[in-house]
Amino acid sequence: MRKFKLREGVDLANLFGPHDLHLKMIEGELQVRMAARGDEITLHGQPESVLRAEHILRELADWTRTYYELKPDDISRAILATEEKPDTPLKPYTVSASALPTKKGTVNPKTPNQQAYLEAINQSDLVIAIGPAGTGKTYLAMAMALAALTHKQVSRIILARPAVEAGEHLGFLPGDLFAKVHPYLRPLYDALYNMMDIDRANRLLERGEIEIAPLAFMRGRTLDDAFVILDEAQNATTEQMKMFLTRLGLNSKAIVTGDITQIDLPDSQKSGLAQIADILLNIDGIQFVYFSEQDVVRHRLVKEIIKAYDRFEHQLPNNSPHNISSDHSTASPGNHSKSDTNGQRPTR
């Protein structure tokens, strides 16, 4: 049993949540029991879990003293953030002046790596983000792109994706060229419509201020005054990656995102994303940000699914290139690298 008192000025109703929801979430995840009498809390359970629960409560209590409104998602992220390092500092993350109001509210980073990612985008003209699904790589990049367009820092946004089938064989699709490639690009449209009013998005698309196109359509172009995002870059071949990176023009910024554990290329083709860290070392103005399952901000089961697949694939006697073929895919939270500082690859 452990008993402690919270500091003065804590908004207990905010900390505990409606009907003590936040306390119940911590109890359920950490397998502890709590009793609160005013600002005095008593914890029962395994010593490690009790200390972790106390740390979470103390840290989140400080958030309420600055009038931050806690939400269940904040509790989930706090529990997740302390999973590997129980005493890790917790704080609410806020975006710089580039924060973008969307249909669902302002887009803000949720983890230290997401914060580092946004800082890298602000600082560098080329950022490569590598990590599993659900870590916000594309969503945050698109939010920053829309902010740059809104503030007239660029005149257009270009969103590109390799047109590679994810296991299914779609065959010869009917319709014109747009109809044939549209299924591959649908996730980018979904993300765009999720961030802004559909009518406004369609107007920007019609005027060419936002362009969504297959990666192959980038060949031969020079992308000036643009914010360019290459999504699902693990499915770009080495040649396609070189082609894309050399399209960058004046007053342009490029973000490359992908998950090298989900490569859909034929076995005979190498992923350009898997090789990019070795090729682009020691180049001024390029930053790498590596995400892990700790940064997943989708449904809580997504993180567990990613971890389960990691365990399974590491048990295989001969991992194929399409499994975890690079140590970068399991980089730890906060393990982001700035290639223009020390030229070293991230610690493994």
Side-chain angles (χ1 to χ4, degrees):
M1 182 186 80
R2 183 171 177 82
K3 185 179 295 186
F4 69 97
K5 288 191 69 171
L6 297 168
R7 294 169 60 185
E8 291 184 8
V10 173
D11 183 346
L12 295 178
N14 187 3
L15 178 63
F16 296 166
H19 307 293
D20 293 341
L21 173 62
H22 300 163
L23 297 185
K24 292 173 184 175
M25 290 175 67
I26 297 172
E27 284 182 320
E29 289 292 332
L30 303 190
Q31 299 297 299
V32 296
R33 288 184 295 111
M34 298 187 194
R37 298 190 64 175
D39 59 358
E40 184 177 88
I41 298 177
T42 304
L43 298 170
H44 299 268
Q46 294 295 321
E48 318 84 60
S49 297
V50 164
L51 290 175
R52 185 177 164 198
E54 179 182 352
H55 174 71
I56 290 173
L57 288 170
R58 286 188 183 277
E59 292 280 301
L60 296 184
D62 283 341
W63 294 21
T64 71
R65 297 173 73 245
T66 59
Y67 306 103
Y68 182 96
E69 183 182 353
L70 285 169
K71 301 178 180 63
D73 281 351
D74 295 314
I75 311 304
S76 297
R77 283 191 292 273
I79 293 168
L80 183 63
T82 58
E83 189 172 73
E84 294 184 357
K85 190 179 178 184
D87 59 348
T88 190
L90 304 173
K91 63 177 181 178
Y93 294 97
T94 56
V95 191
S96 65
S98 295
L100 180 74
T102 70
K103 291 194 302 182
K104 295 186 177 181
T106 302
V107 174
N108 290 315
K110 308 297 185 184
T111 71
N113 271 352
Q114 289 190 352
Q115 180 75 16
Y117 183 37
L118 294 181
E119 291 171 358
I121 293 174
N122 278 325
Q123 295 165 2
S124 301
D125 288 337
L126 175 57
V127 177
I128 295 97
I130 300 175
T135 50
K137 303 182 299 297
T138 303
Y139 194 84
L140 289 173
M142 189 170 291
M144 294 295 279
L146 289 171
L149 183 66
T150 300
H151 297 136
K152 301 189 184 304
Q153 297 167 350
V154 296
S155 62
R156 56 181 171 160
I157 297 170
I158 299 174
L159 310 172
R161 254 191 171 209
V164 176
E165 296 168 356
E168 300 89 349
H169 297 288
L170 301 180
F172 295 97
L173 295 171
D176 58 15
L177 183 60
F178 176 81
K180 292 178 188 295
V181 300
H182 186 70
Y184 299 104
L185 306 176
R186 184 72 243 180
L188 293 176
Y189 283 96
D190 290 343
L192 178 62
Y193 293 147
N194 190 45
M195 286 192 174
M196 64 193 313
D197 179 80
I198 291 178
D199 290 337
R200 183 183 173 221
N202 286 335
R203 286 195 300 272
L204 293 173
L205 287 164
E206 289 170 4
R207 294 201 300 258
E209 293 181 48
I210 298 178
E211 177 184 346
I212 300 178
L215 175 59
F217 286 19
M218 297 296 105
R219 187 174 297 279
R221 301 177 62 182
T222 300
L223 307 177
D224 291 327
D225 199 26
F227 197 117
V228 192
I229 301 172
L230 174 59
D231 188 36
E232 296 291 324
Q234 74 275 5
N235 290 327
T237 65
T238 301
E239 295 77 13
Q240 288 176 326
M241 184 65 74
K242 179 182 178 183
M243 178 271 291
F244 172 80
L245 295 175
T246 54
R247 300 306 93 202
L248 200 60
L250 298 175
N251 189 39
S252 290
K253 188 183 292 285
I255 313 298
V256 177
T257 71
D259 177 4
I260 56 179
T261 70
Q262 296 194 37
I263 299 172
D264 301 312
L265 292 169
D267 291 336
S268 59
Q269 294 183 309
K270 293 182 178 179
S271 168
L273 185 65
Q275 299 173 321
I276 202 169
D278 294 321
I279 296 172
L280 299 183
L281 283 177
N282 304 316
I283 298 181
D284 185 39
I286 299 177
Q287 289 197 55
F288 291 83
V289 180
Y290 294 92
F291 294 90
S292 77
E293 70 274 358
Q294 299 299 322
D295 299 297
V296 172
V297 291
R298 289 182 183 169
H299 192 287
R300 65 175 184 82
L301 288 178
V302 173
K303 174 201 164 191
E304 298 303 324
I305 290 168
I306 292 169
K307 291 171 67 175
Y309 270 94
D310 278 349
R311 288 193 298 268
F312 174 76
E313 289 166 346
H314 277 102
Q315 290 170 1
L316 297 178
N318 295 305
N319 287 335
S320 73
H322 292 188
N323 289 330
I324 300 179
S325 57
S326 169
D327 291 331
H328 300 310
S329 62
T330 54
S332 62
N335 192 12
H336 50 281
S337 169
K338 202 174 186 178
S339 67
D340 53 348
T341 54
N342 55 26
Q344 299 298 312
R345 297 175 71 169
T347 303
R348 298 184 177 182

